[in-house]
């Protein structure tokens, strides 16, 4: 049983990084297999939040090398993203769960030197809400069938 929770944690972790993974499928499968819903929510939220923390750390760390030729972002590409983040602020981290742009948002938060405790709190709230909604949808559809 623990293997299922750890597997979900790992897939959720990977899904939050730049690697392609779909934790929703694993989440739904384990829920259908009879795993405890609240435990699935907690493991998925923790894994996805910690995966985002890796993006934050990469953004924070890589900024030291922005003057190097191999740095993956040019100032012209980085500037609009930084302006967007400055405009909407740390509250935009509540949207870090979004399938499009969410991973980049957590990376940019690292580049922008958002305090890690604030980053972790806002990201966890957003990702926890995402999995809570997913859980509600799956259970709601299950009751209809």
């Amino acid at each position: 049983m623990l293997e299922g929770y750890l597997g979900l944690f790992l897939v959720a972790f990977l899904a939050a990084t730049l690697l392609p993974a779909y934790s929703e499928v694993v989440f739904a499968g384990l829920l259908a297999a009879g795993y405890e819903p609240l435990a699935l929510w907690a493991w998925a939220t923790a894994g996805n939040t910690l995966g985002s923390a890796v993006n934050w750390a990469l953004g924070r760390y890589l900024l030291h090398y922005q003057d190097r030729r191999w740095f993956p972002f040019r100032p012209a590409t980085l500037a609009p993203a930084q302006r967007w983040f400055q405009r909407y602020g740390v509250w935009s981290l509540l949207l870090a769960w979004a399938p499009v742009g969410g991973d980049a948002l957590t990376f940019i938060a690292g580049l922008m030197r958002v305090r890690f405790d604030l980053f972790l709190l806002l990201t966890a709230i957003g990702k926890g809400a995402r999995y809570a909604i997913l859980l509600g949808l799956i259970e709601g559809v299950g009751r209809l069938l």
Side-chain angles (χ1 to χ4, degrees):
M1 196 94 173
L2 183 59
E3 294 85 7
Y5 294 121
L6 291 174
L8 176 61
F9 177 88
L10 181 61
V11 172
F13 181 90
L14 292 174
T17 65
L18 299 177
L19 300 173
Y22 301 98
S23 61
E24 299 85 2
V25 175
V26 176
F27 186 94
L30 291 174
L31 190 59
Y35 281 74
E36 176 61 38
L38 188 56
L40 289 174
W41 172 85
W43 283 94
T45 300
N48 213 240
T49 301
L50 291 177
S52 292
V54 169
N55 293 342
W56 179 92
L58 285 172
R60 182 80 184 247
Y61 175 75
L62 285 178
L63 193 58
H64 297 346
Y65 299 101
Q66 66 184 337
D67 59 335
R68 306 281 169 82
R69 191 168 30 138
W70 55 262
F71 188 71
F73 304 102
R74 299 283 147 236
T77 330
L78 203 51
Q82 288 176 316
R83 277 194 304 276
W84 184 92
F85 193 84
Q86 285 174 334
R87 180 177 179 182
Y88 295 103
V90 295
W91 296 108
S92 64
L93 289 169
L94 291 169
L95 300 174
W97 58 268
V100 176
D103 297 338
L105 191 58
T106 59
F107 181 80
I108 292 168
L111 288 174
M112 299 298 292
R113 299 181 178 272
V114 171
R115 278 190 6 240
F116 186 71
D117 58 343
L118 182 60
F119 166 85
L120 205 58
L121 175 67
L122 293 174
T123 303
I125 289 170
K127 292 187 181 266
R130 167 193 177 193
Y131 285 109
I133 291 168
L134 179 63
L135 178 61
L137 287 172
I138 292 170
E139 289 190 336
V141 168
R143 285 189 207 120
L144 291 174
L145 299 176

